[in-house]
Amino acid sequence: MTSKTTNKFSPEVRERAVLMAGINLAGRTPPVGLGLVLVLGCGLLHGLGFASGLGALPPDASTRLSTLAGFNLGVEVGQLVFPGGVLLAGHLVGRRAPGALRAAASPVASALALVFGLALTVERLVSG
């Protein structure tokens, strides 16, 4: 399966990161249900993209099953490892960092997410 977004974050993930980082930097609480709507919307878009990509799999049923299983396993492992690492880093900073560093951690992380998400969005728009 190849696509134009290979090795890049999908557009809905970037925009969700930019939106949530902006809300956090503004010091506001996200509207009730916004997270749920974003998660469901992104899940639907990912599912539709994945479903359309299934046609590119090998025609042999045994190969298709192993390819699909390997892809799903990789996605699930990635979804466990990345957030686990972020949570561990946050826990260590929260326990060992001085108060000023702990207070700055959330705004700095939000600013980085905002800048990174916007840069990826602009790069994607410019490259077509």
Side-chain angles (χ1 to χ4, degrees):
M1 254 186 300
T2 59
S3 72
K4 205 171 186 181
T5 59
T6 301
N7 295 326
K8 295 183 182 184
F9 292 101
S10 59
E12 63 274 5
V13 172
R14 288 192 308 262
E15 276 72 48
R16 181 178 58 183
V18 168
L19 175 65
M20 296 309 290
I23 288 171
N24 192 37
L25 284 172
R28 301 188 186 275
T29 303
V32 175
L34 176 64
L36 180 62
V37 169
L38 288 173
V39 168
L40 291 174
C42 289
L44 178 62
L45 289 174
H46 278 296
L48 291 172
F50 181 68
S52 68
L54 284 176
L57 289 176
D60 180 25
S62 64
T63 307
R64 180 178 288 191
L65 183 59
S66 63
T67 302
L68 184 59
F71 175 80
N72 278 334
L73 182 61
V75 168
E76 296 303 326
V77 168
Q79 288 180 345
L80 293 172
V81 169
F82 180 74
V86 170
L87 290 172
L88 178 62
H91 176 71
L92 294 175
V93 167
R95 285 189 44 189
R96 300 178 190 257
L101 182 58
R102 280 195 309 261
S106 180
V108 168
S110 293
L112 287 172
L114 183 67
V115 168
F116 186 63
L118 286 174
L120 287 173
T121 300
V122 169
E123 183 269 337
R124 179 74 173 152
L125 291 172
V126 169
S127 69

